Amino acid sequence: MVEPAAQSLALQPIRLSGRLTAGALLLAGLAWVVRGVWEIRLAVAGEPDSGPPDQGYGVHRPLNGLENSYHLVTSVGGLVAFLCALLFLAWLWRVRDNARALSGQVPKYAGIWVFLGWIVPVASLWFPRGIVADAYRTTAPGRKLPVSVNVWWGLWLIGMLGGVGIVYRDSTDEIIARAYSEVWPLLVSDAAVVGAAVAGAFAVRAVTAVQVERIRQAQGAGFAAVGGGRQG
């Protein structure tokens, strides 16, 4: 009779974590909008006569004012993305653990994949989405997975393939050179990241909401069981 109440106490609070994570995703999306605006400014200004910032063989020319400001924009965006990543991973760990506590089922993915799933080649193509989907389905069996989860993940992959997603391969100076020569691929990747951030915020809210609902039900059942035991 006491077991349901004990189980509910093992659940981790998720509402605040979900709100912070959704907010951080939207802030990251805004940072990439600003980044895209600066890339358009670079394209409109055109490459200086002195050539790209990285001129090869370890030679870098002094940056002009617009290029310096783009470095600042990308640095701020990187800090926002780092904060977003920390909050998202903390939220993902919580929803995974809560889903296990609520359902009594062993998660499909081991806990280590909450972190490694983003960086291990091949696995990074579907493990993070799989963890979110598994948490939702075990929390709310029979309910259809929110469309936002698939939209978020599809756009995330497009942004990564573009090379200037949240984790990008090129140096800032190389991206400046790309903005001068061919800005459209950069803007497409930026748009994908912004879309992924917005869809991700909706996905986080959907998964959080269903867990809040189930946690309330579990706590209510636990209190009822304890109360019934005392009356007996």
Side-chain angles (χ1 to χ4, degrees), residues 36-68:
V37 169
W38 250 253
E39 288 163 359
I40 292 173
R41 292 182 64 192
L42 288 165
V44 170
E47 187 174 87
D49 294 337
S50 53
D54 185 353
Q55 302 193 342
Y57 303 101
V59 177
H60 290 75
R61 64 163 173 77
L63 300 177
N64 61 35
L66 182 57
E67 292 166 346
N68 268 320

PDB file of all heavy atoms in Angstrom, residues 36-68:
ATOM      1  N   GLY A  36      22.401  34.794 -38.886  1.00  0.00           N
ATOM      2  CA  GLY A  36      22.042  34.855 -40.294  1.00  0.00           C
ATOM      3  C   GLY A  36      22.012  36.283 -40.824  1.00  0.00           C
ATOM      4  O   GLY A  36      22.437  36.540 -41.959  1.00  0.00           O
ATOM      5  N   VAL A  37      21.518  37.207 -40.009  1.00  0.00           N
ATOM      6  CA  VAL A  37      21.504  38.614 -40.408  1.00  0.00           C
ATOM      7  C   VAL A  37      22.924  39.109 -40.663  1.00  0.00           C
ATOM      8  O   VAL A  37      23.186  39.824 -41.643  1.00  0.00           O
ATOM      9  CB  VAL A  37      20.818  39.470 -39.324  1.00  0.00           C
ATOM     10  CG1 VAL A  37      21.028  40.958 -39.594  1.00  0.00           C
ATOM     11  CG2 VAL A  37      19.326  39.143 -39.253  1.00  0.00           C
ATOM     12  N   TRP A  38      23.859  38.741 -39.801  1.00  0.00           N
ATOM     13  CA  TRP A  38      25.252  39.173 -39.981  1.00  0.00           C
ATOM     14  C   TRP A  38      25.871  38.548 -41.230  1.00  0.00           C
ATOM     15  O   TRP A  38      26.672  39.179 -41.904  1.00  0.00           O
ATOM     16  CB  TRP A  38      26.069  38.836 -38.739  1.00  0.00           C
ATOM     17  CG  TRP A  38      26.473  40.053 -37.968  1.00  0.00           C
ATOM     18  CD1 TRP A  38      27.721  40.618 -37.878  1.00  0.00           C
ATOM     19  CD2 TRP A  38      25.612  40.900 -37.197  1.00  0.00           C
ATOM     20  NE1 TRP A  38      27.693  41.739 -37.085  1.00  0.00           N
ATOM     21  CE2 TRP A  38      26.399  41.942 -36.654  1.00  0.00           C
ATOM     22  CE3 TRP A  38      24.251  40.887 -36.895  1.00  0.00           C
ATOM     23  CZ2 TRP A  38      25.871  42.941 -35.853  1.00  0.00           C
ATOM     24  CZ3 TRP A  38      23.720  41.868 -36.088  1.00  0.00           C
ATOM     25  CH2 TRP A  38      24.531  42.880 -35.583  1.00  0.00           C
ATOM     26  N   GLU A  39      25.494  37.314 -41.541  1.00  0.00           N
ATOM     27  CA  GLU A  39      26.014  36.685 -42.757  1.00  0.00           C
ATOM     28  C   GLU A  39      25.483  37.397 -44.002  1.00  0.00           C
ATOM     29  O   GLU A  39      26.213  37.547 -44.993  1.00  0.00           O
ATOM     30  CB  GLU A  39      25.641  35.199 -42.759  1.00  0.00           C
ATOM     31  CG  GLU A  39      26.444  34.399 -41.738  1.00  0.00           C
ATOM     32  CD  GLU A  39      25.851  33.042 -41.418  1.00  0.00           C
ATOM     33  OE1 GLU A  39      24.784  32.706 -41.975  1.00  0.00           O
ATOM     34  OE2 GLU A  39      26.450  32.320 -40.603  1.00  0.00           O
ATOM     35  N   ILE A  40      24.228  37.838 -43.941  1.00  0.00           N
ATOM     36  CA  ILE A  40      23.690  38.631 -45.058  1.00  0.00           C
ATOM     37  C   ILE A  40      24.452  39.944 -45.180  1.00  0.00           C
ATOM     38  O   ILE A  40      24.785  40.395 -46.299  1.00  0.00           O
ATOM     39  CB  ILE A  40      22.186  38.888 -44.854  1.00  0.00           C
ATOM     40  CG1 ILE A  40      21.408  37.573 -44.973  1.00  0.00           C
ATOM     41  CG2 ILE A  40      21.670  39.906 -45.871  1.00  0.00           C
ATOM     42  CD1 ILE A  40      19.938  37.695 -44.613  1.00  0.00           C
ATOM     43  N   ARG A  41      24.753  40.577 -44.061  1.00  0.00           N
ATOM     44  CA  ARG A  41      25.518  41.825 -44.089  1.00  0.00           C
ATOM     45  C   ARG A  41      26.899  41.613 -44.714  1.00  0.00           C
ATOM     46  O   ARG A  41      27.383  42.441 -45.494  1.00  0.00           O
ATOM     47  CB  ARG A  41      25.672  42.379 -42.672  1.00  0.00           C
ATOM     48  CG  ARG A  41      24.380  42.881 -42.041  1.00  0.00           C
ATOM     49  CD  ARG A  41      24.642  43.447 -40.667  1.00  0.00           C
ATOM     50  NE  ARG A  41      25.515  44.623 -40.752  1.00  0.00           N
ATOM     51  CZ  ARG A  41      26.097  45.184 -39.684  1.00  0.00           C
ATOM     52  NH1 ARG A  41      25.919  44.670 -38.478  1.00  0.00           N
ATOM     53  NH2 ARG A  41      26.867  46.250 -39.836  1.00  0.00           N
ATOM     54  N   LEU A  42      27.533  40.488 -44.375  1.00  0.00           N
ATOM     55  CA  LEU A  42      28.834  40.176 -44.964  1.00  0.00           C
ATOM     56  C   LEU A  42      28.713  39.992 -46.477  1.00  0.00           C
ATOM     57  O   LEU A  42      29.550  40.491 -47.249  1.00  0.00           O
ATOM     58  CB  LEU A  42      29.412  38.916 -44.324  1.00  0.00           C
ATOM     59  CG  LEU A  42      29.918  39.048 -42.892  1.00  0.00           C
ATOM     60  CD1 LEU A  42      30.127  37.671 -42.263  1.00  0.00           C
ATOM     61  CD2 LEU A  42      31.235  39.834 -42.851  1.00  0.00           C
ATOM     62  N   ALA A  43      27.666  39.266 -46.905  1.00  0.00           N
ATOM     63  CA  ALA A  43      27.482  39.017 -48.334  1.00  0.00           C
ATOM     64  C   ALA A  43      27.234  40.314 -49.084  1.00  0.00           C
ATOM     65  O   ALA A  43      27.755  40.516 -50.195  1.00  0.00           O
ATOM     66  CB  ALA A  43      26.328  38.039 -48.551  1.00  0.00           C
ATOM     67  N   VAL A  44      26.433  41.201 -48.498  1.00  0.00           N
ATOM     68  CA  VAL A  44      26.125  42.476 -49.150  1.00  0.00           C
ATOM     69  C   VAL A  44      27.367  43.363 -49.223  1.00  0.00           C
ATOM     70  O   VAL A  44      27.626  44.026 -50.235  1.00  0.00           O
ATOM     71  CB  VAL A  44      24.984  43.191 -48.398  1.00  0.00           C
ATOM     72  CG1 VAL A  44      24.808  44.617 -48.912  1.00  0.00           C
ATOM     73  CG2 VAL A  44      23.676  42.409 -48.542  1.00  0.00           C
ATOM     74  N   ALA A  45      28.170  43.359 -48.146  1.00  0.00           N
ATOM     75  CA  ALA A  45      29.379  44.185 -48.114  1.00  0.00           C
ATOM     76  C   ALA A  45      30.404  43.704 -49.138  1.00  0.00           C
ATOM     77  O   ALA A  45      31.133  44.506 -49.737  1.00  0.00           O
ATOM     78  CB  ALA A  45      29.981  44.185 -46.715  1.00  0.00           C
ATOM     79  N   GLY A  46      30.459  42.398 -49.355  1.00  0.00           N
ATOM     80  CA  GLY A  46      31.425  41.840 -50.311  1.00  0.00           C
ATOM     81  C   GLY A  46      32.796  41.667 -49.695  1.00  0.00           C
ATOM     82  O   GLY A  46      33.167  42.342 -48.731  1.00  0.00           O
ATOM     83  N   GLU A  47      33.518  40.740 -50.267  1.00  0.00           N
ATOM     84  CA  GLU A  47      34.855  40.455 -49.748  1.00  0.00           C
ATOM     85  C   GLU A  47      35.809  41.628 -50.013  1.00  0.00           C
ATOM     86  O   GLU A  47      35.846  42.159 -51.124  1.00  0.00           O
ATOM     87  CB  GLU A  47      35.404  39.185 -50.405  1.00  0.00           C
ATOM     88  CG  GLU A  47      36.720  38.712 -49.818  1.00  0.00           C
ATOM     89  CD  GLU A  47      37.136  37.376 -50.412  1.00  0.00           C
ATOM     90  OE1 GLU A  47      37.791  37.386 -51.474  1.00  0.00           O
ATOM     91  OE2 GLU A  47      36.771  36.339 -49.825  1.00  0.00           O
ATOM     92  N   PRO A  48      36.596  42.042 -49.016  1.00  0.00           N
ATOM     93  CA  PRO A  48      37.560  43.137 -49.221  1.00  0.00           C
ATOM     94  C   PRO A  48      38.601  42.769 -50.279  1.00  0.00           C
ATOM     95  O   PRO A  48      38.823  41.589 -50.581  1.00  0.00           O
ATOM     96  CB  PRO A  48      38.202  43.300 -47.838  1.00  0.00           C
ATOM     97  CG  PRO A  48      37.231  42.680 -46.884  1.00  0.00           C
ATOM     98  CD  PRO A  48      36.576  41.563 -47.636  1.00  0.00           C
ATOM     99  N   ASP A  49      39.229  43.777 -50.826  1.00  0.00           N
ATOM    100  CA  ASP A  49      40.272  43.551 -51.834  1.00  0.00           C
ATOM    101  C   ASP A  49      41.422  42.720 -51.280  1.00  0.00           C
ATOM    102  O   ASP A  49      42.124  42.045 -52.044  1.00  0.00           O
ATOM    103  CB  ASP A  49      40.801  44.892 -52.342  1.00  0.00           C
ATOM    104  CG  ASP A  49      39.744  45.669 -53.110  1.00  0.00           C
ATOM    105  OD1 ASP A  49      38.803  45.025 -53.616  1.00  0.00           O
ATOM    106  OD2 ASP A  49      39.864  46.907 -53.191  1.00  0.00           O
ATOM    107  N   SER A  50      41.595  42.754 -49.965  1.00  0.00           N
ATOM    108  CA  SER A  50      42.698  42.005 -49.344  1.00  0.00           C
ATOM    109  C   SER A  50      42.413  40.516 -49.244  1.00  0.00           C
ATOM    110  O   SER A  50      43.266  39.738 -48.826  1.00  0.00           O
ATOM    111  CB  SER A  50      43.002  42.565 -47.950  1.00  0.00           C
ATOM    112  OG  SER A  50      41.829  42.618 -47.165  1.00  0.00           O
ATOM    113  N   GLY A  51      41.198  40.100 -49.622  1.00  0.00           N
ATOM    114  CA  GLY A  51      40.878  38.681 -49.631  1.00  0.00           C
ATOM    115  C   GLY A  51      40.244  38.200 -48.339  1.00  0.00           C
ATOM    116  O   GLY A  51      39.914  38.999 -47.452  1.00  0.00           O
ATOM    117  N   PRO A  52      40.058  36.885 -48.197  1.00  0.00           N
ATOM    118  CA  PRO A  52      39.416  36.339 -47.003  1.00  0.00           C
ATOM    119  C   PRO A  52      40.307  36.504 -45.774  1.00  0.00           C
ATOM    120  O   PRO A  52      41.527  36.663 -45.900  1.00  0.00           O
ATOM    121  CB  PRO A  52      39.221  34.858 -47.352  1.00  0.00           C
ATOM    122  CG  PRO A  52      40.303  34.565 -48.338  1.00  0.00           C
ATOM    123  CD  PRO A  52      40.460  35.819 -49.146  1.00  0.00           C
ATOM    124  N   PRO A  53      39.730  36.445 -44.583  1.00  0.00           N
ATOM    125  CA  PRO A  53      40.535  36.582 -43.356  1.00  0.00           C
ATOM    126  C   PRO A  53      41.639  35.530 -43.255  1.00  0.00           C
ATOM    127  O   PRO A  53      42.783  35.848 -42.941  1.00  0.00           O
ATOM    128  CB  PRO A  53      39.508  36.427 -42.240  1.00  0.00           C
ATOM    129  CG  PRO A  53      38.212  36.828 -42.855  1.00  0.00           C
ATOM    130  CD  PRO A  53      38.293  36.361 -44.290  1.00  0.00           C
ATOM    131  N   ASP A  54      41.296  34.265 -43.516  1.00  0.00           N
ATOM    132  CA  ASP A  54      42.290  33.188 -43.500  1.00  0.00           C
ATOM    133  C   ASP A  54      42.830  33.039 -44.919  1.00  0.00           C
ATOM    134  O   ASP A  54      42.151  32.523 -45.804  1.00  0.00           O
ATOM    135  CB  ASP A  54      41.635  31.892 -43.018  1.00  0.00           C
ATOM    136  CG  ASP A  54      42.649  30.755 -42.869  1.00  0.00           C
ATOM    137  OD1 ASP A  54      43.816  30.929 -43.265  1.00  0.00           O
ATOM    138  OD2 ASP A  54      42.255  29.688 -42.357  1.00  0.00           O
ATOM    139  N   GLN A  55      44.056  33.483 -45.124  1.00  0.00           N
ATOM    140  CA  GLN A  55      44.631  33.503 -46.466  1.00  0.00           C
ATOM    141  C   GLN A  55      45.526  32.294 -46.752  1.00  0.00           C
ATOM    142  O   GLN A  55      46.205  32.247 -47.761  1.00  0.00           O
ATOM    143  CB  GLN A  55      45.399  34.808 -46.656  1.00  0.00           C
ATOM    144  CG  GLN A  55      44.493  36.013 -46.442  1.00  0.00           C
ATOM    145  CD  GLN A  55      45.113  37.306 -46.907  1.00  0.00           C
ATOM    146  OE1 GLN A  55      46.324  37.415 -47.098  1.00  0.00           O
ATOM    147  NE2 GLN A  55      44.274  38.316 -47.112  1.00  0.00           N
ATOM    148  N   GLY A  56      45.479  31.316 -45.842  1.00  0.00           N
ATOM    149  CA  GLY A  56      46.238  30.087 -46.060  1.00  0.00           C
ATOM    150  C   GLY A  56      47.658  30.177 -45.568  1.00  0.00           C
ATOM    151  O   GLY A  56      48.195  31.260 -45.341  1.00  0.00           O
ATOM    152  N   TYR A  57      48.263  29.010 -45.365  1.00  0.00           N
ATOM    153  CA  TYR A  57      49.657  28.897 -44.916  1.00  0.00           C
ATOM    154  C   TYR A  57      49.893  29.639 -43.595  1.00  0.00           C
ATOM    155  O   TYR A  57      50.953  30.197 -43.342  1.00  0.00           O
ATOM    156  CB  TYR A  57      50.618  29.438 -45.987  1.00  0.00           C
ATOM    157  CG  TYR A  57      50.473  28.760 -47.325  1.00  0.00           C
ATOM    158  CD1 TYR A  57      49.765  29.379 -48.358  1.00  0.00           C
ATOM    159  CD2 TYR A  57      51.003  27.483 -47.552  1.00  0.00           C
ATOM    160  CE1 TYR A  57      49.608  28.761 -49.580  1.00  0.00           C
ATOM    161  CE2 TYR A  57      50.841  26.858 -48.775  1.00  0.00           C
ATOM    162  CZ  TYR A  57      50.153  27.492 -49.790  1.00  0.00           C
ATOM    163  OH  TYR A  57      49.993  26.868 -51.012  1.00  0.00           O
ATOM    164  N   GLY A  58      48.833  29.655 -42.749  1.00  0.00           N
ATOM    165  CA  GLY A  58      48.961  30.287 -41.446  1.00  0.00           C
ATOM    166  C   GLY A  58      48.907  31.797 -41.457  1.00  0.00           C
ATOM    167  O   GLY A  58      49.172  32.432 -40.425  1.00  0.00           O
ATOM    168  N   VAL A  59      48.554  32.395 -42.585  1.00  0.00           N
ATOM    169  CA  VAL A  59      48.502  33.859 -42.703  1.00  0.00           C
ATOM    170  C   VAL A  59      47.063  34.341 -42.515  1.00  0.00           C
ATOM    171  O   VAL A  59      46.151  33.872 -43.196  1.00  0.00           O
ATOM    172  CB  VAL A  59      49.033  34.333 -44.075  1.00  0.00           C
ATOM    173  CG1 VAL A  59      48.905  35.848 -44.200  1.00  0.00           C
ATOM    174  CG2 VAL A  59      50.471  33.884 -44.266  1.00  0.00           C
ATOM    175  N   HIS A  60      46.855  35.268 -41.580  1.00  0.00           N
ATOM    176  CA  HIS A  60      45.543  35.862 -41.334  1.00  0.00           C
ATOM    177  C   HIS A  60      45.678  37.379 -41.407  1.00  0.00           C
ATOM    178  O   HIS A  60      46.517  37.964 -40.720  1.00  0.00           O
ATOM    179  CB  HIS A  60      45.002  35.469 -39.961  1.00  0.00           C
ATOM    180  CG  HIS A  60      44.598  34.020 -39.863  1.00  0.00           C
ATOM    181  ND1 HIS A  60      45.502  32.996 -39.778  1.00  0.00           N
ATOM    182  CD2 HIS A  60      43.364  33.442 -39.853  1.00  0.00           C
ATOM    183  CE1 HIS A  60      44.870  31.834 -39.704  1.00  0.00           C
ATOM    184  NE2 HIS A  60      43.570  32.077 -39.746  1.00  0.00           N
ATOM    185  N   ARG A  61      44.882  37.980 -42.223  1.00  0.00           N
ATOM    186  CA  ARG A  61      44.928  39.446 -42.293  1.00  0.00           C
ATOM    187  C   ARG A  61      44.116  40.037 -41.145  1.00  0.00           C
ATOM    188  O   ARG A  61      43.254  39.345 -40.558  1.00  0.00           O
ATOM    189  CB  ARG A  61      44.380  39.930 -43.626  1.00  0.00           C
ATOM    190  CG  ARG A  61      42.917  39.619 -43.856  1.00  0.00           C
ATOM    191  CD  ARG A  61      42.350  40.465 -44.987  1.00  0.00           C
ATOM    192  NE  ARG A  61      40.997  40.078 -45.344  1.00  0.00           N
ATOM    193  CZ  ARG A  61      39.912  40.399 -44.647  1.00  0.00           C
ATOM    194  NH1 ARG A  61      40.036  41.087 -43.524  1.00  0.00           N
ATOM    195  NH2 ARG A  61      38.714  40.014 -45.058  1.00  0.00           N
ATOM    196  N   PRO A  62      44.326  41.314 -40.798  1.00  0.00           N
ATOM    197  CA  PRO A  62      43.516  41.961 -39.767  1.00  0.00           C
ATOM    198  C   PRO A  62      42.039  41.994 -40.180  1.00  0.00           C
ATOM    199  O   PRO A  62      41.713  42.216 -41.347  1.00  0.00           O
ATOM    200  CB  PRO A  62      44.094  43.379 -39.688  1.00  0.00           C
ATOM    201  CG  PRO A  62      45.486  43.243 -40.213  1.00  0.00           C
ATOM    202  CD  PRO A  62      45.414  42.189 -41.283  1.00  0.00           C
ATOM    203  N   LEU A  63      41.153  41.762 -39.227  1.00  0.00           N
ATOM    204  CA  LEU A  63      39.722  41.766 -39.511  1.00  0.00           C
ATOM    205  C   LEU A  63      39.190  43.193 -39.570  1.00  0.00           C
ATOM    206  O   LEU A  63      39.670  44.074 -38.849  1.00  0.00           O
ATOM    207  CB  LEU A  63      38.966  40.990 -38.422  1.00  0.00           C
ATOM    208  CG  LEU A  63      39.330  39.513 -38.240  1.00  0.00           C
ATOM    209  CD1 LEU A  63      38.541  38.928 -37.072  1.00  0.00           C
ATOM    210  CD2 LEU A  63      39.071  38.719 -39.509  1.00  0.00           C
ATOM    211  N   ASN A  64      38.198  43.417 -40.437  1.00  0.00           N
ATOM    212  CA  ASN A  64      37.543  44.717 -40.438  1.00  0.00           C
ATOM    213  C   ASN A  64      36.442  44.741 -39.363  1.00  0.00           C
ATOM    214  O   ASN A  64      36.196  43.738 -38.678  1.00  0.00           O
ATOM    215  CB  ASN A  64      36.993  45.057 -41.826  1.00  0.00           C
ATOM    216  CG  ASN A  64      35.957  44.046 -42.304  1.00  0.00           C
ATOM    217  OD1 ASN A  64      35.178  43.513 -41.527  1.00  0.00           O
ATOM    218  ND2 ASN A  64      35.949  43.784 -43.614  1.00  0.00           N
ATOM    219  N   GLY A  65      35.760  45.862 -39.217  1.00  0.00           N
ATOM    220  CA  GLY A  65      34.772  46.009 -38.155  1.00  0.00           C
ATOM    221  C   GLY A  65      33.625  45.027 -38.260  1.00  0.00           C
ATOM    222  O   GLY A  65      33.181  44.453 -37.250  1.00  0.00           O
ATOM    223  N   LEU A  66      33.120  44.797 -39.464  1.00  0.00           N
ATOM    224  CA  LEU A  66      32.005  43.884 -39.651  1.00  0.00           C
ATOM    225  C   LEU A  66      32.413  42.452 -39.328  1.00  0.00           C
ATOM    226  O   LEU A  66      31.652  41.704 -38.688  1.00  0.00           O
ATOM    227  CB  LEU A  66      31.501  43.975 -41.094  1.00  0.00           C
ATOM    228  CG  LEU A  66      30.285  43.117 -41.447  1.00  0.00           C
ATOM    229  CD1 LEU A  66      29.100  43.434 -40.528  1.00  0.00           C
ATOM    230  CD2 LEU A  66      29.901  43.317 -42.915  1.00  0.00           C
ATOM    231  N   GLU A  67      33.622  42.075 -39.726  1.00  0.00           N
ATOM    232  CA  GLU A  67      34.101  40.724 -39.434  1.00  0.00           C
ATOM    233  C   GLU A  67      34.311  40.534 -37.933  1.00  0.00           C
ATOM    234  O   GLU A  67      34.006  39.469 -37.377  1.00  0.00           O
ATOM    235  CB  GLU A  67      35.397  40.469 -40.206  1.00  0.00           C
ATOM    236  CG  GLU A  67      35.184  40.392 -41.716  1.00  0.00           C
ATOM    237  CD  GLU A  67      36.484  40.484 -42.490  1.00  0.00           C
ATOM    238  OE1 GLU A  67      37.522  40.876 -41.899  1.00  0.00           O
ATOM    239  OE2 GLU A  67      36.471  40.185 -43.699  1.00  0.00           O
ATOM    240  N   ASN A  68      34.829  41.563 -37.269  1.00  0.00           N
ATOM    241  CA  ASN A  68      34.992  41.486 -35.818  1.00  0.00           C
ATOM    242  C   ASN A  68      33.650  41.309 -35.123  1.00  0.00           C
ATOM    243  O   ASN A  68      33.523  40.535 -34.168  1.00  0.00           O
ATOM    244  CB  ASN A  68      35.691  42.742 -35.288  1.00  0.00           C
ATOM    245  CG  ASN A  68      37.195  42.573 -35.209  1.00  0.00           C
ATOM    246  OD1 ASN A  68      37.681  41.514 -34.817  1.00  0.00           O
ATOM    247  ND2 ASN A  68      37.931  43.614 -35.565  1.00  0.00           N
TER     248      ASN A  68
END
